[in-house]
Amino acid sequence: MEEELKNKIVEYARLMEEKGFVVGTSGNISVRDGDVVAITPTSIDYHVMKPEDVVLVDLGGRLVEGERNPSSEVKMHLSIYNSRKDVRAVVHTHSRNASALAALGLSIPPILDETVNYFGGEIECTKYGMPGSSDLAKNVIEALGNRNGVLLSHHGALACGKDLKSAFENAERLERLAEIFIIASSIGKPESIPEESIDMEKDIFEMMNI
Ligand SMILES: [Zn+2]
């Protein structure tokens, strides 16, 4: 079971690099399996990363298995699993359009239905926290709430989901929504969808997300 999990993590980590969501060793991916979290190691290029480089830690951050050190953002990943029982996978990227908005401290408002259907509402930008810090982990929990994505102030983006496939798709969607928000804002002033639609779609999101 854990071998298969490690293979999948390496496969998606490479895909994250191929899609241009990260450069070098930036970004990280984790998956929760019961009380164990499998996470990408720190400082290893994705194209040479092997399944055995993936590190297993418990929910308190103690090493369970692995020769490598876990990602420097392990606190951020663990704080999400410790506060959100529904989240089984987390994907952190430095994708371009999301990072541009994060550099400005802007959130992505629900200007498309997708924002509510897949993320549960506005994709908020966190308060600033140094990479790898407990502050960043705390700020992410605050801005994430019960939704599936956040922008990390002056840093990048984070998406989560009920499994690795949905967390990765949410990372792709988040980047796409950031791009559409930038395009729409360059032409006019995009408005959020009506409040009653947001409420109805949030109810559906909560049912689907369990
Ligand atoms: Zn980062």
Side-chain angles (χ1 to χ4, degrees):
M1 174 65 189
E2 260 143 19
E3 292 314 304
E4 197 185 319
L5 196 62
K6 289 177 180 178
N7 287 335
K8 279 275 166 220
I9 289 176
V10 171
E11 184 189 312
Y12 276 100
R14 290 199 180 130
L15 196 55
M16 181 166 75
E17 187 182 40
E18 276 168 30
K19 287 185 176 284
F21 289 176
V22 292
V23 172
T25 63
S26 62
N28 28 73
I29 291 181
S30 70
V31 176
R32 178 179 182 173
D33 181 18
D35 290 334
V36 171
V37 173
I39 188 163
T40 46
T42 189
S43 310
I44 298 182
D45 285 328
Y46 295 114
H47 53 274
V48 296
M49 188 180 288
K50 296 188 290 293
E52 54 266 38
D53 292 325
V54 173
V55 185
L56 303 185
V57 294
D58 68 15
L59 291 167
R62 286 169 288 269
L63 182 73
V64 172
E65 187 187 302
E67 300 290 318
R68 306 285 184 182
N69 288 320
S71 158
S72 59
E73 297 291 7
V74 66
K75 280 183 194 155
M76 178 172 76
H77 290 250
L78 293 177
S79 66
I80 296 171
Y81 295 122
N82 280 310
S83 65
R84 288 275 302 272
K85 297 275 178 287
D86 59 312
V87 171
R88 295 281 152 178
V90 173
V91 175
H92 162 50
T93 76
H94 292 179
S95 61
R96 279 189 189 87
N97 291 287
S99 297
L101 295 176
L104 293 165
L106 294 175
S107 300
I108 307 175
I111 58 167
L112 295 178
D113 292 305
E114 259 188 295
T115 323
V116 192
N117 293 337
Y118 292 98
F119 293 92
E122 178 156 328
I123 299 166
E124 291 186 16
C125 187
T126 64
K127 286 188 279 190
Y128 180 75
M130 283 271 288
S133 68
S134 303
D135 269 352
L136 178 60
K138 184 169 79 58
N139 296 345
V140 164
I141 292 302
E142 258 176 42
L144 184 65
N146 66 349
R147 294 177 301 277
N148 275 344
V150 281
L151 298 172
L152 311 183
S153 175
H154 298 283
H155 182 163
L158 178 146
C160 53
K162 60 187 174 187
D163 53 33
L164 182 52
K165 183 172 181 286
S166 49
F168 193 84
E169 283 173 0
N170 281 340
E172 290 183 288
R173 272 188 203 102
L174 194 160
E175 173 58 11
R176 193 166 175 278
L177 288 170
E179 185 182 12
I180 291 166
F181 181 48
I182 291 168
I183 295 169
S185 300
S186 72
I187 304 168
K189 194 177 180 308
E191 300 280 344
S192 293
I193 59 175
E195 205 61 52
E196 56 270 28
S197 301
I198 294 179
D199 291 344
M200 271 169 60
E201 287 171 3
K202 263 187 190 167
D203 289 344
I204 298 168
F205 165 79
E206 276 160 26
M207 281 186 324
M208 302 291 283
N209 204 35
I210 293 166

